[in-house]
């Protein structure tokens, strides 16, 4: 009886990908160690584990509709979500572009970020925390795209706080904010 009961469990355990195998799948798009080099694809390294837990869960449950992510995460267990989020959070945070930033543009965007109190939720160094993402050194194209989605209130799975914050921010200013945030260490 024990052999009959244990054999299917052992086979199921062997067929389920390990966290390390799942990380390889993540890194295929989100870059080695979670450092994205793919357009409109965020870096995952250094993100808060709790935030990653929520995001992975939302993709699995199709609360965020991104077909590739929904498909990859459809069979991930709650325990695997926690383990995957913890491993991704341990990866190094992304680095800003190597080129010297435009000081005038950085100062204007810093003032805009302070005016809109971005640091209240994202932290003084924009590294996020708990359910708030790290936005320092995130990909500029991804930040601009995401900020535009928040402003339009089209990013599913979130409250309207970001839409409220971005209500009076122009598209040009969104570009400046993305530029500024992507160049922070």
């Amino acid at each position: 009886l024990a052999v009959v009961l244990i054999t299917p469990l052992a086979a199921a355990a062997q067929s389920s990908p390990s966290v390390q195998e799942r990380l390889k799948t993540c890194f295929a798009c989100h870059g080695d160690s979670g450092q994205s080099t793919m357009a409109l694809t965020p870096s995952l390294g250094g993100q808060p584990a709790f935030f990653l837990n929520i995001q992975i869960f939302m993709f699995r449950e199709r609360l965020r509709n991104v077909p590739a992510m929904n498909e990859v995460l459809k069979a991930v267990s709650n325990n695997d979500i926690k383990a995957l989020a913890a491993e991704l959070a341990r990866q190094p945070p992304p680095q800003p572009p190597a080129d010297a930033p435009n000081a005038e543009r950085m100062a204007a965007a810093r003032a805009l970020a302070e005016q809109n109190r971005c640091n209240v939720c994202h932290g003084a160094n924009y590294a996020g925390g708990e359910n708030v993402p790290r936005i320092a050194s995130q990909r500029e194209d991804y930040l601009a795209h995401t900020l535009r989605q928040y402003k339009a209130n089209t990013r599913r799975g979130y409250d309207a706080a970001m839409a409220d914050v971005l209500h009076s921010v122009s598209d040009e200013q969104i570009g400046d904010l993305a530029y500024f945030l992507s160049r922070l260490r």
Side-chain angles (χ1 to χ4, degrees):
L1 182 60
V3 172
V4 171
L5 293 176
I6 293 173
T7 302
L9 293 175
Q14 290 174 355
S15 65
S16 179
S18 70
V19 170
Q20 293 305 317
E21 290 168 329
R22 288 192 190 283
L23 277 176
K24 289 177 187 175
T25 302
C26 297
F27 295 160
C29 295
H30 293 278
D32 292 339
S33 299
Q35 313 301 305
S36 176
T37 58
M38 188 180 292
L40 299 176
T41 303
S43 293
L44 301 179
Q47 288 291 351
F50 187 76
F51 169 76
L52 291 167
N53 269 296
I54 292 168
Q55 298 307 304
I56 296 167
F57 175 83
M58 287 174 45
F59 283 122
R60 183 189 73 186
E61 300 300 313
R62 297 185 183 274
L63 297 171
R64 286 194 60 197
N65 188 18
V66 177
M69 294 295 296
N70 302 136
E71 183 62 28
V72 166
L73 296 168
K74 70 181 178 185
V76 177
S77 71
N78 288 342
N79 286 337
D80 285 346
I81 287 174
K82 289 177 187 174
L84 191 56
E87 284 299 317
L88 288 167
R90 281 192 270 277
Q91 301 303 310
Q95 294 298 306
D99 62 322
N102 176 305
E104 185 177 305
R105 191 172 182 196
M106 290 291 284
R110 183 181 307 278
L112 182 63
E114 289 171 6
Q115 174 188 339
N116 287 287
R117 298 182 305 272
C118 301
N119 63 327
V120 169
C121 294
H122 292 280
N125 61 358
Y126 300 94
E130 291 300 312
N131 64 336
V132 179
R134 173 189 182 83
I135 53 177
S137 302
Q138 186 56 265
R139 289 184 56 85
E140 182 177 351
D141 61 336
Y142 176 77
L143 286 167
H145 176 74
T146 302
L147 289 170
R148 289 181 180 110
Q149 286 181 318
Y150 285 133
K151 180 176 172 126
N153 206 21
T154 58
R155 189 154 174 121
R156 289 189 54 196
Y158 298 90
D159 64 28
M162 286 296 296
D164 288 344
V165 169
L166 292 165
H167 176 73
S168 62
V169 177
S170 72
D171 194 61
E172 181 180 342
Q173 289 173 320
I174 284 175
D176 288 341
L177 280 172
Y179 179 87
F180 164 71
L181 293 166
S182 70
R183 283 159 176 76
L184 295 178
R185 292 204 177 272

